[in-house]
Amino acid sequence: MGWLALCAALWVGCDDGGGDKSSDDTGDVAGDGGGVGGDGADGGDGGDGGDGGDPVVDGCRADPGEADKDRVVLVSFPYTPDLDQVDVWEIWTLTTDGSLFSTGERIEVDRLTDSRPVFTPDGSLALIAGEDGDLGVVSVDEDGGVTVVESHWNPGFYAGSVAVDPSGERAWVVDPNFQESGGGIYEISLDCETGMPALVGKIATSRLAAGVVPLPGRTDRLALAALQGPEGDTGADVHLVDASNGALVADAPAFSHRDSFPVDVAGSPSGQLVLVTDGSSWSGEPQGVGAVRIDGDTVTSGGFAEVFDPAAIVISPWADLALVTSPFGDAIEMVGIVDEATGELEALGPVSPLGSRPGVPTWMQGITRGMLRGMVLVVEAEGIRQVQFDGVGGAEDLGRVDTPLGLRQHPLRHCGATMTGLIFWCGQHKRAINVGRA
């Protein structure tokens, strides 16, 4: 059986954003149009060339291959039923018809609660920013077999999140700490034969960074979402950075105040729009999603949409809608992208649940190629929910697949505060998932 590693931690594949928004003969939305940039497949961490399978750039792990194969899904189970912390990941399968199930296979890699793993564009390698700041590396072979390359690798940073270059030969690790404590962007290389990581060096400093988004079609630029960028406090939340040396090219605020707390970041398929979630519970300002426009090397502020307790964000392959998880709202909120050119946003309310409402939803991963284009996997307390972008500004809940009771995804319902307050730091309610493209 062939395997397509999609990025399910939750991060998914990268397409070029093209394609019709209508349904094809089989009823699949948008047929097999292009995809978006992201975690080795989605939202910007890596990329692929759309359903045709052509790589965006040259590289030993750049070719995404076929768009329609069974996908390898990595699911983190960081707690036992007795609330003991464990480094357990389970291998799931997402078939071409959308069926999602556990294979029963488990591996041990640094536990993950506050981030999502990312895949190289070809799905052969997954990178995991573990809870203790180490980096885990997992390889996926042609038959979908999963092998641990590194379970706890750390050359001196605290890995908060990871983004993969479209070549699949390098990645950027983001340390979310203050500048004086190592906060910034670290470049690492990935061996083409073994997948072993090696530190190239620190290219930029930052403070309270949510992550970086490689811009589709532009290997020389990164969009960094952080309270402060390479030049300190410039009043901006999104910083366009030179990928070769970390120099600040331009920046702009995503929010109207300086007490924001960036939680997650996503880029549109065109790379022209970057959305950031602000989960600050102490600013006195509404929580929500802020937009920043990127036009060449010019960065300008866009719109804002209010969302309670926003966490992870995924943008539709058609750049008409974004989904935002609200852990304490027990909801998956819809934010309409009214105009990508201006960054105008509109809060549309939650996705109507199929069956029980979401229970503490956190990380998500979107699929951007093939028959499942527009599907999003959402991790919540008792399982994995599947949601489908419809390509015309809406989204449909397809239901939840319950996870095994032997290991827990979320040990506690509450931790005493909001997503970006106490609960963000204790990580008691979160679990990671990602789909690969192998």
Side-chain angles (χ1 to χ4, degrees):
M1 175 186 295
W3 292 84
L4 175 66
L6 182 91
C7 301
L10 297 171
W11 239 181
V12 76
C14 310
D15 315 33
D16 61 11
D20 184 3
K21 294 184 180 183
S22 62
S23 298
D24 65 8
D25 300 346
T26 65
D28 294 308
V29 175
D32 57 1
V36 354
D39 295 337
D42 154 71
D45 303 347
D48 69 65
D51 289 342
D54 296 327
V56 173
V57 299
D58 292 332
C60 64
R61 300 182 189 275
D63 189 351
E66 297 180 42
D68 290 311
K69 289 184 178 180
D70 289 351
R71 289 161 162 90
V72 173
V73 181
L74 300 180
V75 184
S76 170
F77 287 83
Y79 297 93
T80 69
D82 295 327
L83 306 188
D84 294 325
Q85 297 183 5
V86 289
D87 294 341
V88 173
W89 289 77
E90 194 164 83
I91 313 305
W92 285 47
T93 296
L94 179 65
T95 66
T96 56
D97 66 0
S99 298
L100 179 65
F101 57 89
S102 170
T103 66
E105 180 184 355
R106 290 172 177 171
I107 58 174
E108 291 191 8
V109 182
D110 196 7
R111 64 197 303 272
L112 179 56
T113 58
D114 285 330
S115 182
R116 51 168 76 83
V118 297
F119 278 85
T120 53
D122 69 346
S124 66
L125 211 62
L127 306 180
I128 299 168
E131 188 179 65
D132 59 6
D134 293 344
L135 190 70
V137 182
V138 175
S139 68
V140 182
D141 64 28
E142 292 288 336
D143 297 319
V146 177
T147 303
V148 176
V149 177
E150 285 280 358
S151 60
H152 292 265
W153 181 74
N154 196 320
F157 48 55
Y158 184 94
S161 63
V162 191
V164 176
D165 182 74
S167 68
E169 295 183 3
R170 64 174 176 168
W172 293 276
V173 177
V174 176
D175 185 324
N177 284 306
F178 285 23
Q179 294 93 326
E180 55 269 28
S181 299
I185 306 172
Y186 294 77
E187 181 182 347
I188 64 172
S189 63
L190 302 170
D191 187 272
C192 287
E193 296 296 326
T194 66
M196 288 290 295
L199 179 65
V200 176
K202 184 177 183 180
I203 68 167
T205 60
S206 63
R207 175 176 179 171
L208 297 181
V212 296
V213 176
L215 301 179
R218 302 184 66 187
T219 60
D220 62 337
R221 295 290 184 266
L222 299 170
L224 167 69
L227 191 62
Q228 294 183 17
E231 295 188 3
D233 191 357
T234 60
D237 305 287
V238 175
H239 316 265
L240 188 62
V241 174
D242 188 320
S244 65
N245 57 23
L248 179 66
V249 177
D251 58 13
F255 310 106
S256 62
H257 59 93
R258 294 306 297 150
D259 290 323
S260 62
F261 190 97
V263 178
D264 195 20
V265 57
S268 66
S270 68
Q272 297 177 337
L273 187 67
V274 174
L275 301 183
V276 184
T277 54
D278 170 27
S280 173
S281 59
W282 55 83
S283 68
E285 300 290 335
Q287 298 173 316
V289 179
V292 167
R293 278 278 305 157
I294 298 178
D295 184 6
D297 283 343
T298 300
V299 182
T300 56
S301 300
F304 175 82
E306 184 173 350
V307 174
F308 171 67
D309 193 35
I313 185 167
V314 169
I315 298 177
S316 159
W318 303 282
D320 55 356
L321 184 72
L323 295 180
V324 181
T325 54
S326 174
F328 273 81
D330 285 332
I332 302 167
E333 298 286 344
M334 295 183 292
V335 173
I337 301 175
V338 180
D339 188 346
E340 186 181 7
T342 64
E344 181 183 353
L345 305 178
E346 179 183 10
L348 300 177
V351 175
S352 297
L354 177 64
S356 60
R357 65 184 296 185
V360 198
T362 51
W363 294 108
M364 298 185 288
Q365 177 62 47
I367 299 174
T368 60
R369 305 194 315 146
M371 296 173 61
L372 299 184
R373 186 180 187 212
M375 178 179 286
V376 179
L377 305 184
V378 186
V379 169
E380 53 184 83
E382 302 298 335
I384 302 169
R385 190 173 298 268
Q386 294 169 276
V387 178
Q388 179 69 49
F389 285 115
D390 62 17
V392 289
E396 178 186 2
D397 187 343
L398 303 180
R400 188 183 73 193
V401 178
D402 291 340
T403 49
L405 297 179
L407 291 167
R408 299 186 58 142
Q409 175 173 330
H410 305 273
L412 297 179
R413 168 70 173 175
H414 296 293
C415 196
T418 64
M419 169 73 181
T420 51
L422 176 60
I423 199 159
F424 180 85
W425 295 111
C426 74
Q428 293 287 327
H429 71 312
K430 289 184 282 183
R431 169 187 182 182
I433 181 175
N434 206 347
V435 184
R437 287 184 172 275

